[in-house]
Amino acid sequence: IPEIGDLLLTRIIINWRRAFKRNDKQMCSTLAKFLAHLTNQKVVDDNLTLEMLTLLLDKPTDDSVEVAVTMVKEVGATLNEVSSLGLHAIFERFRAILHEGDLDKRTQYMIEDLFLVRKSKFAAHQPITEDLDLVE
C-alpha cells in the first residue's frame, strides 16, 4: 500500500504543477483540496502542504490566493495542531497581501473571511468528519 500512496502523491504533485503553470484554477483548486484532505488523514506530511501554500502566495494573483484560501480552510485545523508556526507564517503572508491591496475586492473579502474562520478555530471545517473516522 505505501507504493500506491507514493504513486498517488507523485501524480497529484505532477498534475498540480502542470495546472499551476497553465493557470488552470479549477484543476489547481481540486488537487489542492485533495492534498489537504490527505494531509488531514495524515497520509501526506504537513511540510508539503506548507510548501504549496508558500508557492501559491509567493507572487499572489487573484486565482492563486483563492486556491490558497480554499486549501487553508480545508487543512487549517490540522496545521494548527501539528505546525502552528507554519500556519502562523502563512497567515502573516495573507495579512501582508491584504495590506498591499493589489487584489480584487472579492479576493480581499475571501482573505478576511479566512481570518474569521481562523478566529473560530476552524469550527466549520473539521479535519476529519465523524463518518470518516474509522480508525480507533
Side-chain angles (χ1 to χ4, degrees), residues 56-126:
L56 285 167
L57 299 175
D58 185 38
K59 294 176 184 164
T61 63
D62 288 326
D63 290 344
S64 69
V65 170
E66 188 173 334
V67 171
V69 166
T70 303
M71 190 173 189
V72 169
K73 282 183 179 178
E74 296 295 331
V75 79
T78 301
L79 287 178
N80 200 24
E81 291 174 13
V82 297
S83 180
S84 59
L85 290 176
L87 185 64
H88 179 72
I90 295 298
F91 271 96
E92 285 302 314
R93 182 67 185 128
F94 275 123
R95 188 180 321 278
I97 291 169
L98 196 59
H99 286 300
E100 289 170 7
D102 295 337
L103 300 176
D104 187 45
K105 291 287 182 199
R106 178 180 170 273
T107 309
Q108 291 179 9
Y109 286 132
M110 289 180 76
I111 295 172
E112 290 172 3
D113 182 54
L114 181 63
F115 277 97
L116 293 175
V117 169
R118 181 187 186 198
K119 190 174 184 180
S120 70
K121 299 186 192 288
F122 300 95
H125 303 278
Q126 292 303 314

